[in-house]
Amino acid sequence: MARLAGKVALVTGAASGIGAAAARRLARDGAAVLLTDVDAAGEDVAAGIIAAGGRAGFCRHDVASPDDWATAVAAALAQFGRIDILVNNAGIAGGRHELISHDLAAWRQILSINLDGVFLGLRHAGPAMAAAGGGSVINISSILGKVGMGGAAAYCASKGGVTLLSKAAALEWAPLGIRVNSVHPGFIDTPLVNNALAGREDGNEVRVALMAAHPLARFGRPQEIGDAIAFLASDEAAFITGAELVVDGGYTAQ
Ligand SMILES: NC(=O)c1ccc[n+]([C@@H]2O[C@H](COP(=O)([O-])OP(=O)(O)OC[C@H]3O[C@@H](n4cnc5c(N)ncnc54)[C@H](O)[C@@H]3O)[C@@H](O)[C@H]2O)c1
């Protein structure tokens, strides 16, 4: 019996990268998955899951919008009847900004998607999860929610916020049977990283230096994060809540 049989998952930012890999892995483990994203390419990822024998749907959804959250939660309930697993994954890198000249609009955009988006996910999907008798929330933070990086103050602030928002939610929702954990990927080979590097003249040198900063001497693969997410979603993680699961090739061990 697949370990997530009978469960329903909502995965944000599922059109690409880590979110798409997580959706595929959750579906392979037997969950029905509502993929959501601002990018309609999520439709193709859902179609691929269905073609492989899984259960999936797609809903267009901006995680910074409370109205879109209401629509996405309603879509999950209409299509699959319940929500057991919420993966708050959608996020943006938001570009490089020196603090000395940081634009407030850029700061707010990064915080609204990466941090407000997670809050809204908890706020809107939480009641449905409580009604289902409990479940598992997996919030995608980052190594940059644990250690800083120059030029990425808003991103670090957003991901540090996700780390502690997750712990506060874990405490508040333990009595409801809802576990809440954060996942902290190192640099993962996805469009988010590749587009940021492609936008820099010194992109190739930065890529080599970043890989070398991981003791395992490479970037992670999206499915390696998808595997960690599926573990936290499953009953194998039944006693894990308020935890930080670091999947970073050793980056933060130094
Ligand atoms: N790639 C990495 O190295 C890395 C490392 C640590 C953490 N993360 C985090 O993992 C998550 C996924 O990143 P990824 O690397 O797969 O990036 P990605 O760019 O491949 O995928 C992110 C997805 O989120 C979607 N998205 C962006 N803004 C959105 C919004 N407002 N509402 C809904 N969807 C939106 C995009 O359309 C895209 O499909 C992000 O939260 C990111 O911060 C990534």
Side-chain angles (χ1 to χ4, degrees), residues 11 13-25 27 33-37 39-58:
V11 182
S16 171
I18 292 168
R24 291 190 188 105
R25 178 63 212 256
V33 185
L34 183 72
L35 295 87
T36 81
D37 204 295
D39 184 345
E43 196 106 55
D44 300 334
V45 181
I49 290 172
I50 293 165
R55 294 178 70 206
F58 174 75

Side-chain angles (χ1 to χ4, degrees), residues 12-19 36-39 61-64 88-93 113-114 140-144 155 159 183-193 195:
T12 70
S16 171
I18 292 168
T36 81
D37 204 295
V38 284
D39 184 345
H61 171 205
D62 176 352
V63 294
N88 280 313
N89 163 78
I92 58 170
I113 295 171
N114 292 5
I140 309 309
S141 176
S142 171
I143 48 173
L144 301 183
Y155 186 83
K159 294 300 184 177
V183 172
H184 302 259
F187 281 80
I188 309 300
D189 197 2
T190 70
L192 180 139
V193 167
N195 293 339

Side-chain angles (χ1 to χ4, degrees), residues 6-253:
K7 307 276 191 204
V8 176
L10 191 162
V11 182
T12 70
S16 171
I18 292 168
R24 291 190 188 105
R25 178 63 212 256
L26 292 166
R28 247 193 7 255
D29 281 344
V33 185
L34 183 72
L35 295 87
T36 81
D37 204 295
V38 284
D39 184 345
E43 196 106 55
D44 300 334
V45 181
I49 290 172
I50 293 165
R55 294 178 70 206
F58 174 75
C59 174
R60 202 211 154 271
H61 171 205
D62 176 352
V63 294
S65 158
D67 288 347
D68 279 12
W69 266 109
T71 303
V73 168
L77 295 178
Q79 287 183 46
F80 303 121
R82 54 193 286 140
I83 301 175
D84 307 280
I85 299 159
L86 170 65
V87 184
N88 280 313
N89 163 78
I92 58 170
R96 207 181 142 72
H97 303 274
E98 306 295 335
L99 259 183
I100 207 89
S101 58
H102 207 309
D103 182 44
L104 179 60
W107 168 273
R108 285 191 172 144
Q109 192 207 10
I110 294 166
L111 270 288
S112 74
I113 295 171
N114 292 5
L115 183 56
D116 295 3
V118 175
F119 161 73
L120 289 171
L122 291 162
R123 177 69 189 77
H124 285 265
M129 296 179 75
S136 174
V137 178
I138 298 107
N139 293 330
I140 309 309
S141 176
S142 171
I143 48 173
L144 301 183
K146 295 177 65 63
V147 298
M149 176 172 268
Y155 186 83
C156 292
S158 70
K159 294 300 184 177
V162 169
T163 305
L164 278 175
L165 171 58
S166 303
K167 291 187 198 302
L171 298 178
E172 206 167 308
W173 285 359
L176 302 179
I178 303 175
R179 298 182 294 105
V180 186
N181 294 291
S182 53
V183 172
H184 302 259
F187 281 80
I188 309 300
D189 197 2
T190 70
L192 180 139
V193 167
N194 291 327
N195 293 339
L197 291 174
R200 297 178 63 134
E201 260 178 37
D202 59 353
N204 279 338
E205 291 106 84
V206 174
R207 174 183 293 274
V208 169
L210 283 174
M211 281 189 181
H214 296 68
L216 291 182
R218 64 173 174 85
F219 285 170
R221 302 177 187 102
Q223 44 291 17
E224 291 172 324
I225 307 304
D227 292 346
I229 291 167
F231 163 68
L232 287 173
S234 78
D235 288 344
E236 290 161 36
F239 200 50
I240 304 179
T241 196
E244 300 170 25
L245 181 47
V246 175
V247 189
D248 71 348
Y251 186 104
T252 54

